[in-house]
Amino acid sequence: MKKLLAVGAALCPMMLSLVLLGGCAPHAIDRSRVGTMEVHEEGDTVYFSLPMEIFRFGGGEVKLAFDRAENTLTLAEHKAEYTPVSGCVLWGDTFRGGLETAEGYEQLAEQVKALDGREYKYITAYASETADMVYGFCVIYKKPTGFLSGGGQIDAREITKSILFSYDREGTFSVLSTLEDRIAVAFDGENAVYYYKEKYYLGDLSGEKEQYLCDDPASDQKLALHSHATFFEGGGWCVLYFQLRADNLGESFDRYVVTDMGGTFYAELKLPHDPTW
């Protein structure tokens, strides 16, 4: 018997990379690239379909297979019929653009923007819909990095806090928890994955549980490097994708990390950089 878990294909990223004119500003560490993924389970294997094209032109789709029995993660060629049961309903930023929503969620964007009471807001936001509830997060920054190209870049070094929230069918907005100095990248209503001082952790709403996941190999400080991190969530899982792009292509690599939101399963896959990307 096949068990099928599905989440809507990446209907929207929370944020695309913000790029300044070359040499105009310091290099930012942007950790706001969040999207949804499709998840499919067969026995002990969980398949993930990551729509890279929403973040990188020509990036295509990456499929991963996680074997829960062996705790191994590999690339996979797997075709399955997915039945979307959730999708992104809120995404965007107030640095140079604005918050966008799926139809019917316009009021949610206004409530999220109100979480930062300053006149000039610097926030990113993301929320996805489950069968009966919307869960999401708003990340508040002190200021952008840089001065040109419409106000600068989103920079993890300017983080203030992340606010985790829920939103129900009746339009009730509730703040569930606040993560000081941390950047949320996934939240399922009970647990959040977040970035803190170039590392990633999994924590619960009480703040009492904080489980280390991995370091961030793409948090480089050099203008010569063009590294990124991208995050995909859905179906009770989170995939963290890091691309380290060094001047020496032989030192460049892609790294995938998968964890379930309960913190039971964890695996990594590191691959040499594909120069066609």
Side-chain angles (χ1 to χ4, degrees):
M1 178 69 67
K2 294 182 179 180
K3 180 182 178 184
L4 186 66
L5 282 182
V7 292
L11 303 176
C12 51
M14 180 173 82
M15 188 62 48
L16 299 179
S17 281
L18 301 183
V19 181
L20 293 184
L21 297 176
C24 292
H27 177 67
I29 302 174
D30 183 356
R31 293 299 173 262
S32 67
R33 294 157 47 124
V34 179
T36 56
M37 64 182 175
E38 292 181 332
V39 183
H40 175 76
E41 294 194 18
E42 291 183 14
D44 287 328
T45 304
V46 186
Y47 296 93
F48 305 99
S49 180
L50 312 180
M52 294 295 185
E53 65 272 8
I54 66 173
F55 294 106
R56 184 180 180 90
F57 177 75
E61 185 178 48
V62 172
K63 294 181 183 293
L64 302 175
F66 172 57
D67 188 322
R68 285 178 289 199
E70 301 294 333
N71 260 20
T72 57
L73 185 65
T74 58
L75 291 178
E77 288 294 335
H78 183 77
K79 298 185 181 299
E81 293 295 329
Y82 296 96
T83 305
V85 295
S86 68
C88 179
V89 299
L90 170 70
W91 65 98
D93 73 277
T94 60
F95 283 73
R96 299 192 304 169
L99 299 187
E100 300 184 50
T101 67
E103 185 177 356
Y105 289 94
E106 293 78 11
Q107 184 59 34
L108 173 59
E110 296 305 313
Q111 291 174 301
V112 168
K113 284 190 288 187
L115 294 171
D116 186 350
R118 296 173 297 176
E119 179 180 1
Y120 298 105
K121 307 176 191 304
Y122 297 107
I123 68 174
T124 63
Y126 173 88
S128 60
E129 180 183 37
T130 64
D132 56 358
M133 187 72 73
V134 168
Y135 294 109
F137 46 88
C138 170
V139 185
I140 299 177
Y141 297 82
K142 302 179 188 74
K143 58 185 177 68
T145 289
F147 307 99
L148 301 180
S149 296
Q153 304 174 80
I154 300 169
D155 196 336
R157 292 165 293 191
E158 300 297 339
I159 182 61
T160 296
K161 58 188 173 183
S162 292
I163 299 175
L164 310 178
F165 62 81
S166 66
Y167 186 77
D168 65 19
R169 300 286 184 188
E170 287 68 45
T172 302
F173 181 88
S174 301
V175 172
L176 303 179
S177 185
T178 300
L179 307 175
E180 298 291 342
D181 302 317
R182 288 157 172 79
I183 299 174
V185 299
F187 177 53
D188 69 348
E190 296 182 2
N191 298 288
V193 175
Y194 49 83
Y195 172 95
Y196 178 60
K197 294 184 177 179
E198 301 185 8
K199 301 179 186 296
Y200 292 87
Y201 299 87
L202 179 68
D204 63 3
L205 290 176
S206 71
E208 297 177 357
K209 182 184 80 171
E210 186 170 73
Q211 177 180 336
Y212 167 78
L213 294 175
C214 64
D215 287 2
D216 188 324
S219 289
D220 61 75
Q221 305 286 326
K222 300 177 182 178
L223 287 172
L225 298 182
H226 304 281
S227 303
H228 299 284
T230 308
F231 315 98
F232 298 94
E233 61 83 31
W237 296 87
C238 178
V239 174
L240 301 86
Y241 167 61
F242 306 102
Q243 46 181 216
L244 181 68
R245 299 296 179 258
D247 288 338
N248 180 354
L249 288 180
E251 298 176 359
S252 298
F253 62 82
D254 295 335
R255 180 186 178 197
Y256 299 89
V257 173
V258 61
T259 181
D260 69 303
M261 296 300 291
T264 301
F265 297 105
Y266 178 93
E268 297 184 17
L269 174 63
K270 183 177 178 181
L271 300 171
H273 168 53
D274 182 352
T276 63
W277 273 47

